Amino acid sequence: MHVLDKAGLPLEGAEVMHLNPEYVHPNDGELFTRTDLTGELGEQIQEAREKAPEFTSILGRDEPPNLWPSRACNTCDCPEPCHSLPEHSVLTLPRLYYGHLDEIIEEGRWTLEEIQGHSHLKPKHENYIQAARSGEPYVDTSEVQSALNELEYPLYFLDFEAIDYALPPFEDTSPWKKIPFQYSLHVVVEGQEALRKEDVRHEEFLHDGDGDPRPPLAERLLEDIGSEGSIVVYNDTFEEGILEDLQEAFPQWGHQFQGFIDRLWDQGEIFQNGHYVHPSQKGSWSLKKVLPAFDPSLEYDDLDVQEGMEAVVEYSRMIAPETSESEAEEIEEDLLEYCARDTWAMVVIHKKLSELVGRDPTAPIA
């Protein structure tokens, strides 16, 4: 709008056309909708006006500007490091508010020694600094014990994989609605002598691509999960959302799915809340960063599928008509192995945490 205005073209309005999240396939509503932004762009236009000279200068350079250091380094995908910071620094502090991070960077503080005791740091940040400097994990034994005591057996360690289509292909779905196509489930029963992989029951489901995956997935899930026991997930926001969508899609099973939702127990909260902090996590509480702290042999590097988005891409390839049968079978094996690794990882973490706080991981809850 700024460029067109300066070029002498009078604008009566500005709209963005986008997919309509209220549209329900096949024909309930309009697939696209328009959002009128005419009166809402004042601040953005002013920002563009103020930064236009800087943009022009940068575009005229032969070399890109040096943007380091900044908090953008925290999420940069550049494979080659462009700085010489130590392994643990202000950029690896767990869940530090961006505004506070910017202020600390502006002060020129980067190393743990320089930032320790800073007014912006909370106990979880100091716990991380303690773990990083000692090389040993910080463990709040009482909090971990309290969290584990909430569990009820049998334990169902559950992980979904889901795909979200821009253009909904299935009846009663909307743009970008997450469609679960796979799950893995490890089941730990009370009193198992050892949590060895061969002793733990494992159930899995992967849709073959013929039609909507939700009905067969929902039916199998209702068969595989019993009426009692905690359902252990890692970051329950995702799994809870999937279960709520299944509850809405299949009202005949609404009561059962509500029961599953009520029984969810989020293992990730122990790490998100800083009750266990290992220096190897480098401030992250993602499952893939936490797992090596408990079992370095279970990293994901040996898998052909290593993260959720890659699983979505590979599933799309698996069900594509042009994919050969042999290649589809290979992809199927890779997807099953990846999803199973996630739930087995949670079993391993559960066992190690229980041992850490002196609790039998298979003993009944008092």
Side-chain angles (χ1 to χ4, degrees):
M1 287 185 69
H2 171 67
V3 171
L4 292 174
D5 178 64
K6 289 299 182 182
L9 181 65
L11 298 178
E12 293 184 359
E15 295 181 341
V16 174
M17 186 171 73
H18 55 88
L19 287 166
N20 178 11
E22 304 300 324
Y23 168 79
V24 178
H25 186 72
N27 54 16
D28 185 359
E30 298 292 332
L31 179 60
F32 288 93
T33 188
R34 295 171 182 265
T35 299
D36 187 349
L37 299 174
T38 305
E40 302 180 18
L41 296 178
E43 291 185 8
Q44 288 87 346
I45 292 174
Q46 179 62 27
E47 182 180 11
R49 183 180 296 117
E50 293 173 354
K51 291 188 174 181
E54 179 185 356
F55 293 162
T56 303
S57 173
I58 291 173
L59 288 170
R61 294 185 182 188
D62 294 330
E63 298 292 333
N66 179 11
L67 298 181
W68 185 84
S70 78
R71 60 180 168 88
C73 300
N74 230 359
T75 55
C76 179
D77 291 326
C78 181
E80 298 297 332
C82 55
H83 57 73
S84 56
L85 286 177
E87 181 181 15
H88 303 283
S89 71
V90 65
L91 295 180
T92 58
L93 284 176
R95 304 180 69 204
L96 178 63
Y97 174 62
Y98 276 160
H100 292 165
L101 177 58
D102 286 339
E103 289 183 25
I104 294 174
I105 289 175
E106 288 174 4
E107 295 171 6
R109 304 191 189 195
W110 292 95
T111 66
L112 298 187
E113 290 75 14
E114 291 171 326
I115 60 179
Q116 188 163 16
H118 195 284
S119 60
H120 286 331
L121 301 190
K122 296 182 178 180
K124 62 184 176 185
H125 302 131
E126 298 291 356
N127 296 339
Y128 168 73
I129 293 174
Q130 173 187 323
R133 298 185 71 176
S134 69
E136 298 294 330
Y138 166 84
V139 186
D140 189 329
T141 305
S142 63
E143 289 289 352
V144 173
Q145 179 74 71
S146 176
L148 294 178
N149 283 343
E150 296 173 359
L151 293 168
E152 297 181 2
Y153 285 85
L155 305 181
Y156 297 92
F157 294 84
L158 174 65
D159 179 68
F160 287 113
E161 301 298 333
I163 186 171
D164 45 2
Y165 295 97
L167 303 179
F170 309 120
E171 187 174 352
D172 294 328
T173 60
S174 301
W176 304 118
K177 187 178 186 67
K178 293 190 179 299
I179 307 296
F181 61 84
Q182 179 182 9
Y183 69 77
S184 174
L185 187 74
H186 276 93
V187 185
V188 173
V189 299
E190 186 176 306
Q192 281 183 315
E193 294 300 324
L195 295 182
R196 297 178 303 178
K197 196 168 188 177
E198 59 269 25
D199 297 331
V200 177
R201 174 184 151 209
H202 181 231
E203 306 291 346
E204 58 188 2
F205 174 90
L206 176 59
H207 191 246
D208 60 9
D210 184 17
D212 188 344
R214 294 175 301 165
L217 179 144
E219 290 188 36
R220 272 289 306 277
L221 193 65
L222 292 170
E223 293 175 4
D224 289 341
I225 297 181
S227 58
E228 296 181 349
S230 298
I231 300 174
V232 182
V233 296
Y234 204 96
N235 186 8
D236 63 1
T237 302
F238 177 71
E239 268 73 24
E240 183 174 357
I242 294 295
L243 290 171
E244 287 175 345
D245 287 345
L246 292 175
Q247 183 183 33
E248 181 181 355
F250 306 107
Q252 69 272 32
W253 299 322
H255 179 71
Q256 292 97 313
F257 283 122
Q258 185 59 52
F260 291 173
I261 294 169
D262 294 340
R263 290 157 54 194
L264 288 178
W265 186 87
D266 189 351
Q267 187 181 71
E269 286 188 355
I270 290 175
F271 307 97
Q272 183 182 16
N273 295 330
H275 301 323
Y276 179 98
V277 180
H278 195 282
S280 66
Q281 296 171 226
K282 296 183 182 178
S284 171
W285 62 278
S286 74
L287 181 60
K288 294 172 180 59
K289 290 292 186 181
V290 169
L291 178 59
F294 293 92
D295 190 338
S297 69
L298 283 180
E299 290 189 297
Y300 288 68
D301 294 347
D302 62 319
L303 302 180
D304 289 325
V305 174
Q306 299 182 8
E307 51 92 19
M309 184 54 67
E310 189 176 358
V312 170
V313 172
E314 289 301 290
Y315 175 70
S316 298
R317 282 208 311 125
M318 185 189 83
I319 64 176
E322 61 270 19
T323 301
S324 67
E325 183 176 349
S326 60
E327 186 178 9
E329 290 176 354
E330 290 181 9
I331 296 173
E332 179 180 3
E333 292 178 6
D334 293 339
L335 288 171
L336 291 173
E337 187 176 10
Y338 165 71
C339 199
R341 178 67 56 88
D342 276 349
T343 52
W344 179 245
M346 288 188 280
V347 175
V348 170
I349 291 172
H350 169 71
K351 181 176 187 294
K352 298 291 186 179
L353 283 176
S354 299
E355 293 172 349
L356 192 63
V357 298
R359 177 177 174 276
D360 183 346
T362 62
I365 304 297

